[in-house]
Amino acid sequence: MLAGKSYLDELNDIQRDAVTTIDGPVLVIAGPGSGKTRVLTYRIAHIIEQGIPAYQILALTFTNKAAREMKERITKVVGSKGGHVWAGTFHSIFARILRYEAEKIGFSSNFTIYDTVDSKSLITTIVKEMGLDPKVYDVNGIRTRISSAKSNLISPKAYKENIQLLAQDRSSKRPFINKIYETYAMRCKRAGAMDFDDLLYQMFLLLHKNPDNVVDKYREKFRYVLVDEFQDTNFLQYSIIRKLVNYPKSPQNVCVVGDDAQSIYAFRGATIQNILDFQKHYPKLKTFKLEQNYRSTSFIVEAANEVISFNKKQIQKKIWSDQGDGQKIKILKAVTDAEEGKRVADMILEQKTRNHFNNKDFAILYRTNAQSRVFEEHLRKHNILYKIYGGQSFYQRKEIKDLLGYLKLAVNPNDEEALKRVINFPKRAIGDSSFSKIAKIANDNLTSNWEILKSIEKFGFPARLTNSVRGFVNLIKTFQRHLEKMDAYELASLAAKQSGVLEFYNRDKTVEGLNRANNLRELLDGIKDFVESDEEIEDVTITDKGLTSYLQNIALITDQDNDKDNDDRVALMSVHAAKGLEFESVFVAGMEDKLFPSQMALNSKDGLDEERRLFYVAITRAKQFLCLSFAFSRYRYGNIVNSSPSPFLGEISEKNLEHTMGVLPSRSTESTGSTGSRLGPPLQRRMKPRIPVSDFKASPISEIVVGKEVEHIRFGRGKVLAKEGPKGNEVATVVFDEAGEKRIMIKYAKLKVL
């Protein structure tokens, strides 16, 4: 514990004001690397130091990892009472409240939480049962549509009555989405399950439908509400916050911390308007801007300021750094994406040697996950260890979900997706055809599959199937009987053995089979660690080490919660995945028009602004070194595509760049290029032809050789300095009399020998 109030001495003036202003609505605009987490945690500690009980403080985050770190920091300041703060993700906090209050919204307290795989599986089943074309009613599109409806508080009934939504569905040739949504909601309710969106949607309904008892209870309980990464909240999350904070004579003790310039999750439903409009909703708001960057050197910070200045919808601020000028930003231009991968790997090897960096000090960021391949190849050639973020989660592996399926049924036997997964695994003579018949009987009787299974003898099935079903039902009932007597590890070990799952994977002696068996053991080890750990489960009143508590705990784990900080590997990830992280040296790859910014973003100003915020996030991950790379051609969808530099590169002034060699778009604040920004189009597009197109006849590629005088339709006269590359994709280095030196792919930018 820090003595007295010495924690305040660690803060700069603005940070201290934000920490000590605890009453009324507060907005903290936190630029990248500005000490946001410190301000948030010290603010909570300061509230406790003023005599407010820790359990009356609600702190909402977006990852469990952030919540844990927050509690650890608070505890260092105020001692063990810091552990009583209600700190957790929106989903984990609301899931806990919903378990307490489930009966008020027609659910049992042991409801299951469906993950993405479970949701997709149920939607796939419904589409199949309705006889719809799965290519038209693709599961991802339908799931996104349902998620969007819930995030905007549109119930299945309201959806069916919404003329605009129905018209959109008809125009996309998917007129039955409303029926799928209705059926999906009904089947979740029948299965005693909520998906991730339901944890927010049902929380709002709980508050909305119980204004006197429930709302008053939690308004009184949470006297102080704090929200981290507020720019990432959606309409529904903000609606719940306002339900808790806005009421007659409310002190409105709400503090939101975030950065509008880092709002990059519109595709998940996040809306930047929440933070932009916060002042309108709370006229007595006090705003604090954290503008000092403690992470990056000045060249990097200045470049970030320049880029984000092109967005009109923003809260004005100017971040600054006293970390020294540092290295200018390097622009790496490559002929192909393969060359880009090689040169980035070479630079990493060079920086490791020169600066004594570890692998984990580097990150390669890209706009799309498909770009990782070339970097993997060249990192492997240098024997540089790397990790790709955004891969399959441990808890999504088949063998893990198989065992978890049995555990979920022990808690909630009505869970349709868990039942469907394990009823015939390992095989017990209950095939897909038989299960489909059972499911149809359940649907016809508006009941769960489990209720039919329990009374299988009534439905005239063959004796073999009936006996198999009876054995399965007795197995699940055995697990249920031990639910209150055993802790999570004891029951999981019992289920792993008696279900046959562990034996099944132990019999498979292939490399894949051995890995799966090891993964199951790792799962059991993790459950044992959960049981034996002394760490409180977010709320001091919950000390339950049972299976229900464990399943809720893992259901709400995010990708970042699985990261191991001591893993010395180069990070390969999308820019979206990099938010909140920092590295000594960062490479932002694929800085090309229609890749970054993406082609889809060019259709709207808001889309382009979000892409620019994404670039801003990429830039500000770097502490010492930043390299922006692009290729003049790359493989996309199996074909070589000619590329031009991203217009975003032209928004960084020359003074912050190491060198550009005349290949970057021009910086402009007046003209509007093809991307819709205030930046002009690339130089190659702006130059007018020097000779009439009709009179220009390109020479064969074979005649373009070193030393020849040539002419280009736009760049004019020049001389070939070099020619390289595979046949058909040769690249010439030409120094033009006026346009300077350029490397151009001959088959696209044709040349005429003089």
Side-chain angles (χ1 to χ4, degrees):
M1 183 190 298
L2 298 174
K5 295 183 180 177
S6 61
Y7 60 92
L8 296 177
D9 297 333
E10 299 180 28
L11 306 171
N12 63 37
D13 291 345
I14 297 295
Q15 290 175 333
R16 191 180 301 109
D17 289 343
V19 165
T20 56
T21 306
I22 65 172
D23 294 323
V26 170
L27 169 62
V28 179
I29 300 297
S34 62
K36 169 181 71 72
T37 304
R38 173 173 289 186
V39 167
L40 190 60
T41 53
Y42 282 11
R43 191 174 200 276
I44 295 171
H46 191 70
I47 293 172
I48 296 172
E49 289 284 81
Q50 305 313 299
I52 306 300
Y55 57 80
Q56 292 190 330
I57 301 171
L58 171 65
L60 297 167
T61 67
F62 277 85
T63 68
N64 294 304
K65 182 180 179 182
R68 281 196 304 272
E69 290 177 353
M70 187 184 299
K71 279 194 170 184
E72 288 168 4
R73 290 196 187 195
I74 296 167
T75 302
K76 286 180 181 178
V77 179
V78 300
S80 60
K81 56 188 175 182
H84 298 190
V85 174
W86 276 63
T89 65
F90 283 87
H91 292 88
S92 64
I93 293 290
F94 295 165
R96 200 156 79 235
I97 293 173
L98 287 169
R99 289 211 187 274
Y100 298 155
E101 314 289 351
E103 293 181 2
K104 294 182 176 66
I105 51 173
F107 278 84
S108 167
S109 62
N110 65 345
F111 64 81
T112 298
I113 299 173
Y114 276 178
D115 62 18
T116 302
V117 175
D118 297 327
S119 297
K120 287 182 178 180
S121 176
L122 178 54
I123 291 169
T124 300
T125 298
I126 293 169
V127 168
K128 183 178 180 181
E129 289 174 353
M130 292 177 65
L132 301 172
D133 185 345
K135 292 180 181 178
V136 176
Y137 290 87
D138 67 290
V139 65
N140 289 321
I142 301 302
R143 181 176 171 273
T144 299
R145 194 74 168 160
I146 292 173
S147 175
S148 177
K150 289 180 182 178
S151 295
N152 287 284
L153 290 174
I154 300 172
S155 67
K157 183 176 184 296
Y159 194 110
K160 290 178 71 172
E161 297 171 353
N162 190 304
I163 296 173
Q164 184 178 2
L165 290 176
L166 297 179
Q168 290 172 358
D169 291 343
R170 285 194 300 271
S171 67
S172 66
K173 296 182 169 51
R174 299 183 299 180
F176 296 108
I177 289 180
N178 67 90
K179 182 62 178 175
I180 296 172
Y181 180 20
E182 182 181 40
T183 306
Y184 176 82
M186 181 267 291
R187 295 278 277 275
C188 283
K189 189 73 174 287
R190 185 196 301 169
M194 296 188 196
D195 63 21
F196 288 149
D197 294 307
D198 281 326
L199 295 176
L200 305 179
Y201 181 71
Q202 296 293 347
M203 179 66 187
F204 180 87
L205 292 183
L206 172 69
L207 299 176
H208 184 68
K209 293 181 177 180
N210 299 275
D212 296 327
N213 49 0
V214 176
V215 177
D216 288 345
K217 172 183 174 181
Y218 288 101
R219 282 173 176 171
E220 187 172 339
K221 182 176 183 62
F222 302 131
R223 290 175 57 191
Y224 289 83
V225 177
L226 300 94
V227 185
D228 190 15
E229 303 287 5
F230 184 63
Q231 77 283 343
D232 294 337
T233 55
N234 61 25
F235 171 77
L236 180 50
Q237 287 164 324
Y238 189 27
S239 297
I240 295 170
I241 293 166
R242 297 186 73 188
K243 279 275 185 188
L244 292 171
V245 172
N246 293 0
Y247 53 93
K249 297 183 180 180
S250 166
Q252 296 188 332
N253 294 329
V254 57
C255 172
V256 300
V257 182
D259 182 5
D260 58 296
Q262 297 185 66
S263 178
I264 59 173
Y265 293 122
F267 68 96
R268 294 183 187 170
T271 170
I272 192 174
Q273 290 304 131
N274 285 352
I275 193 167
L276 295 179
D277 294 343
F278 199 67
Q279 174 81 56
K280 297 178 185 176
H281 299 150
Y282 297 92
K284 296 181 180 178
L285 181 72
K286 295 172 184 173
T287 300
F288 302 93
K289 297 181 181 180
L290 309 183
E291 297 175 303
Q292 182 174 358
N293 181 294
Y294 292 93
R295 174 189 301 156
S296 309
T297 53
S298 292
F299 284 125
I300 294 170
V301 167
E302 279 303 311
N305 280 331
E306 290 177 331
V307 167
I308 204 64
S309 70
F310 282 80
N311 277 8
K312 289 183 178 178
K313 292 170 64 176
Q314 61 176 296
I315 298 171
Q316 291 299 323
K317 64 181 177 300
K318 185 175 178 64
I319 59 173
W320 58 278
S321 170
D322 62 0
Q323 304 296 303
D325 288 342
Q327 297 279 332
K328 288 191 175 185
I329 297 166
K330 185 175 182 62
I331 302 294
L332 190 161
K333 59 185 188 297
V335 176
T336 65
D337 54 346
E339 182 190 349
E340 180 187 37
K342 178 183 183 302
R343 292 179 66 187
V344 166
D346 288 344
M347 286 179 65
I348 289 175
L349 191 62
E350 178 190 351
Q351 288 188 17
K352 282 186 66 177
T353 303
R354 180 180 298 174
N355 302 304
H356 306 291
F357 284 165
N358 296 312
N359 291 328
K360 64 183 179 182
D361 293 325
F362 296 92
I364 302 173
L365 310 182
Y366 32 72
R367 182 62 184 82
T368 64
N369 288 316
Q371 292 170 249
S372 71
R373 180 186 57 81
V374 292
F375 300 107
E376 292 184 70
E377 290 177 5
H378 291 287
L379 290 172
R380 281 199 298 267
K381 287 178 183 177
H382 286 307
N383 293 317
I384 297 174
L385 296 176
Y386 64 88
K387 176 180 179 181
I388 297 179
Y389 288 71
Q392 187 183 40
S393 163
F394 176 79
Y395 295 99
Q396 298 300 331
R397 299 176 189 274
K398 180 187 182 303
E399 63 275 15
I400 301 302
K401 287 187 75 69
D402 288 341
L403 180 51
L404 290 178
Y406 281 100
L407 302 185
K408 288 179 179 180
L409 289 178
V411 172
N412 174 19
N414 291 316
D415 186 332
E416 264 190 52
E417 295 307 308
L419 183 64
K420 186 165 57 178
R421 171 174 283 275
V422 303
I423 192 169
N424 199 39
F425 181 83
K427 289 189 181 299
R428 54 174 60 88
I430 310 174
D432 291 345
S433 176
S434 298
F435 185 71
S436 293
K437 293 175 183 176
I438 292 168
K440 186 176 187 310
I441 294 171
N443 283 334
D444 290 344
N445 287 275
L446 300 178
T447 191
S448 69
N449 294 330
W450 176 251
E451 292 301 320
I452 302 302
L453 293 176
K454 286 195 300 182
S455 55
I456 192 69
E457 296 86 356
K458 297 179 181 179
F459 300 99
F461 285 106
R464 184 177 179 221
L465 175 64
T466 300
N467 290 334
S468 295
V469 168
R470 191 182 297 119
F472 175 76
V473 168
N474 288 336
L475 178 68
I476 301 302
K477 285 183 175 180
T478 298
F479 301 154
Q480 287 180 300
R481 282 196 297 272
H482 291 294
L483 191 59
E484 300 301 325
K485 303 173 186 176
M486 291 182 169
D487 63 35
Y489 176 70
E490 292 169 333
L491 186 48
S493 298
L494 179 72
K497 293 172 185 174
Q498 292 197 3
S499 67
V501 170
L502 195 57
E503 181 186 356
F504 175 87
Y505 285 113
N506 280 332
R507 285 201 308 267
D508 186 350
K509 300 305 179 184
T510 65
V511 173
E512 184 179 10
L514 291 172
N515 285 336
R516 285 181 165 174
N518 286 334
N519 286 338
L520 282 174
R521 294 186 190 97
E522 185 176 342
L523 174 67
L524 291 171
D525 287 344
I527 299 175
K528 189 172 186 180
D529 183 58
F530 167 83
V531 169
E532 294 179 350
S533 172
D534 291 330
E535 183 180 352
E536 294 167 2
I537 309 171
E538 296 184 15
D539 179 11
V540 72
T541 62
I542 298 179
T543 56
D544 177 19
K545 298 295 185 179
L547 189 58
T548 302
S549 183
Y550 171 76
L551 289 174
Q552 174 172 314
N553 198 49
I554 64 165
L556 300 169
I557 287 175
T558 67
D559 289 342
Q560 287 193 30
D561 296 323
N562 291 321
D563 294 346
K564 295 180 180 178
D565 295 333
N566 60 353
D567 203 6
D568 187 28
R569 297 171 183 268
V570 174
L572 273 65
M573 63 179 77
S574 70
V575 183
H576 281 103
K579 186 169 173 291
L581 304 178
E582 60 181 39
F583 304 89
E584 298 294 335
S585 182
V586 170
F587 296 81
V588 186
M591 290 302 306
E592 295 143 32
D593 197 17
K594 298 181 182 178
L595 179 56
F596 199 177
S598 72
Q599 175 71 51
M600 291 186 294
L602 305 184
N603 297 327
S604 71
K605 184 67 168 68
D606 287 344
L608 188 66
D609 280 359
E610 176 141 340
E611 289 288 299
R612 189 176 282 109
R613 293 194 293 270
L614 192 60
F615 184 39
Y616 177 87
V617 167
I619 291 172
T620 54
R621 299 312 93 197
K623 297 171 74 174
Q624 296 188 52
F625 300 97
L626 176 63
C627 176
L628 310 175
S629 67
F630 64 89
F632 287 110
S633 67
R634 71 173 55 246
Y635 271 100
R636 298 187 74 180
Y637 311 112
N639 298 310
I640 293 180
V641 177
N642 201 27
S643 306
S644 58
S646 168
F648 289 162
L649 294 176
E651 298 177 355
I652 303 173
S653 63
E654 297 276 344
K655 65 178 181 173
N656 293 316
L657 302 176
E658 188 173 306
H659 49 69
T660 61
M661 301 192 63
V663 297
L664 298 185
S666 294
R667 183 177 172 85
S668 169
T669 56
E670 301 299 332
S671 61
T672 300
S674 61
T675 60
S677 72
R678 290 178 284 161
L679 159 73
L683 175 64
Q684 295 92 321
R685 297 182 188 174
R686 294 200 324 272
M687 295 182 65
K688 295 181 180 179
R690 293 172 172 270
I691 55 178
V693 176
S694 58
D695 295 342
F696 185 84
K697 292 184 179 179
S699 301
I701 294 176
S702 59
E703 294 182 14
I704 310 298
V705 295
V706 175
K708 286 285 187 180
E709 296 284 339
V710 295
E711 187 172 32
H712 185 273
I713 195 169
R714 288 193 176 96
F715 302 144
R717 297 172 66 95
K719 186 176 182 178
V720 180
L721 299 182
K723 182 181 176 183
E724 57 189 322
K727 188 174 182 180
N729 289 309
E730 294 95 333
V731 173
T733 301
V734 183
V735 57
F736 292 99
D737 296 344
E738 295 184 24
E741 184 179 308
K742 296 190 177 299
R743 300 180 76 198
I744 53 181
M745 191 167 283
I746 304 173
K747 71 177 181 180
Y748 294 116
K750 297 177 173 57
L751 298 170
K752 178 181 179 181
V753 176
L754 299 178

